[in-house]
């Protein structure tokens, strides 16, 4: 029986077994995704599904991938990345070091986009990127740095030639000099501490999956993690309604500055 009570019991089993707490997410959204996966394989109850997840590593990886929404591409919404590039250009003129955080980086397209921009701007080596996600499998893909052509649709041909090596007809590998800019690390935004003194934090299309009180907590934590004058870059469907109360000032659509 796929009722809410049974799902909450399933969610508690997932928390114990996978150390993944779904309680901060929008439960109806999580339940819908789980139910679709179960329907695909013909499971009628959560107990049968959790048993398979414990016994079959490939099913566990698929579950985690679907639940944590590992969907990304290079230079997603190119005009916004041009704006972000202008912020970085100004910071490079003022400083020789800057910490940038790609939070919820999925399979790495976003932090590598930042790395490419830093290379294009000839940023000092002190400009580095921390890229974090809760999904270890996604992070392994990111560390490998190999991507299908569909992830590269927004990469201009000169940048493609400069920063990627073609492996076969549909796969490309990111260059080592971009890789050196990025430090990939597992991080749970709901429970792990946040580092401080970031010049920029990028968290796009991640916070929308959380309940309202968790959203507020995350945005407040991001604000605390930014240094004065730092930039928060969020997704196209996201808004921070209490920005001023948590020390953030809207400066452009999708961009906030730490006051």
């Amino acid at each position: 029986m796929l009722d809410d009570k049974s799902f909450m019991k399933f969610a508690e089993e997932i928390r114990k077994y996978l150390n993944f707490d779904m309680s901060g997410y929008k439960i109806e959204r999580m339940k819908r995704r789980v139910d679709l996966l179960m329907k695909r394989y013909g499971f009628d109850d959560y107990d049968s599904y959790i048993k398979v997840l414990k016994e079959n590593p490939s099913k566990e990886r698929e579950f985690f991938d679907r639940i944590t929404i590992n969907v990304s591409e290079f230079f997603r919404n190119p005009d916004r990345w041009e704006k972000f590039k202008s912020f970085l250009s100004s910071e490079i003129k003022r400083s020789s070091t800057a910490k940038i955080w790609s939070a919820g980086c999925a399979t790495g397209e976003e932090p590598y986009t930042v790395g490419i921009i830093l290379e294009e701007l000839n940023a000092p080596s002190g400009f580095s990127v921390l890229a974090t996600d809760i999904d270890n499998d996604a992070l392994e893909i990111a560390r490998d740095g190999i991507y299908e052509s569909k992830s590269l649709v927004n990469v201009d041909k000169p940048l493609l030639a400069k920063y990627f090596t073609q492996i076969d007809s549909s796969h490309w590998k990111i260059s080592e000099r971009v890789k050196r800019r990025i430090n990939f690390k597992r991080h749970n935004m709901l429970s792990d501490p946040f580092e401080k003194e970031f010049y920029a934090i990028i968290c796009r299309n991640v916070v929308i999956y959380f309940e309202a009180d968790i959203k507020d907590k995350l945005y407040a934590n991001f604000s605390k993690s930014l240094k004065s004058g730092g930039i928060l870059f969020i997704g196209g469907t996201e808004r921070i309604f209490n920005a001023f109360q948590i020390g953030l000032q809207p400066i452009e659509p999708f961009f906030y500055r730490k006051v």
Side-chain angles (χ1 to χ4, degrees):
M1 184 70 177
L2 303 181
D3 57 32
D4 290 350
K5 185 176 179 180
S6 298
F7 179 77
M8 295 310 295
K9 180 182 175 184
F10 170 81
E12 178 60 19
E13 286 294 308
I14 290 295
R15 186 189 66 78
K16 291 177 181 177
Y17 175 62
L18 292 180
N19 192 30
F20 177 59
D21 188 355
M22 288 191 278
S23 64
Y25 293 80
K26 294 178 178 178
I27 292 300
E28 67 276 8
R29 196 186 297 259
M30 296 293 104
K31 183 176 184 299
R32 186 163 61 249
R33 289 201 174 115
V34 172
D35 289 353
L36 285 171
L37 275 173
M38 289 175 60
K39 183 178 180 181
R40 173 184 296 177
Y41 295 112
F43 293 111
D44 295 323
D45 60 81
Y46 294 114
D47 289 340
S48 299
Y49 189 39
I50 192 72
K51 185 173 185 293
V52 168
L53 291 178
K54 290 179 179 180
E55 295 174 352
N56 190 323
S58 67
K59 290 291 190 293
E60 178 189 319
R61 286 193 297 271
E62 181 187 31
F63 168 82
F64 221 179
D65 186 58
R66 294 303 178 93
I67 290 299
T68 53
I69 317 103
N70 292 321
V71 178
S72 187
E73 61 187 27
F74 285 84
F75 291 95
R76 187 176 186 179
N77 309 116
D79 56 326
R80 295 171 202 170
W81 284 108
E82 280 299 313
K83 179 57 65 175
F84 185 69
K85 183 178 180 180
S86 72
F87 292 136
L88 282 180
S89 179
S90 297
E91 185 66 11
I92 289 168
K93 294 173 184 176
R94 288 191 293 262
S95 177
S96 61
T97 62
K99 292 169 56 181
I100 301 162
W101 180 16
S102 172
C105 70
T107 48
E109 290 90 334
E110 179 178 275
Y112 284 136
T113 296
V114 179
I116 290 170
I117 291 172
L118 291 173
E119 287 295 309
E120 284 295 285
L121 292 172
N122 294 313
S125 60
F127 277 68
S128 61
V129 183
L130 171 66
T132 67
D133 202 272
I134 193 172
D135 186 343
N136 279 321
D137 291 316
L139 290 171
E140 282 305 306
I141 293 170
R143 291 186 182 102
D144 286 342
I146 298 173
Y147 297 95
E148 294 183 32
S149 299
K150 64 182 181 181
S151 296
L152 304 167
V153 292
N154 293 316
V155 181
D156 293 337
K157 285 185 178 180
L159 295 182
L160 191 65
K162 192 174 182 180
Y163 297 111
F164 294 86
T165 301
Q166 188 166 9
I167 296 175
D168 56 35
S169 61
S170 59
H171 292 86
W172 300 72
K173 185 176 179 65
I174 192 78
S175 74
E176 288 300 318
R177 61 173 166 157
V178 175
K179 269 191 171 186
R180 285 193 289 269
R181 296 265 186 189
I182 322 296
N183 175 32
F184 289 101
K185 178 181 175 183
R186 187 182 187 278
H187 182 268
N188 185 338
M189 285 190 281
L190 299 184
S191 59
D192 293 334
F194 286 25
E195 293 186 24
K196 306 294 184 184
E197 291 296 303
F198 287 103
Y199 165 69
I201 297 174
I202 307 160
C203 188
R204 305 176 72 201
N205 307 308
V206 176
V207 177
I208 54 172
Y209 296 105
F210 296 109
E211 296 286 3
D213 59 329
I214 302 297
K215 285 184 185 180
D216 291 343
K217 178 182 177 182
L218 288 173
Y219 285 137
N221 285 340
F222 286 143
S223 179
K224 292 174 185 175
S225 288
L226 286 168
K227 70 177 188 178
S228 179
I231 302 295
L232 176 61
F233 180 10
I234 65 172
T237 61
E238 299 166 330
R239 297 292 183 275
I240 306 177
F241 295 106
N242 65 334
F244 291 105
Q245 290 94 313
I246 61 174
L248 296 174
Q249 178 184 7
I251 52 173
E252 296 275 351
F254 322 113
F255 292 95
Y256 295 79
R257 191 185 300 280
K258 175 70 175 289
V259 179

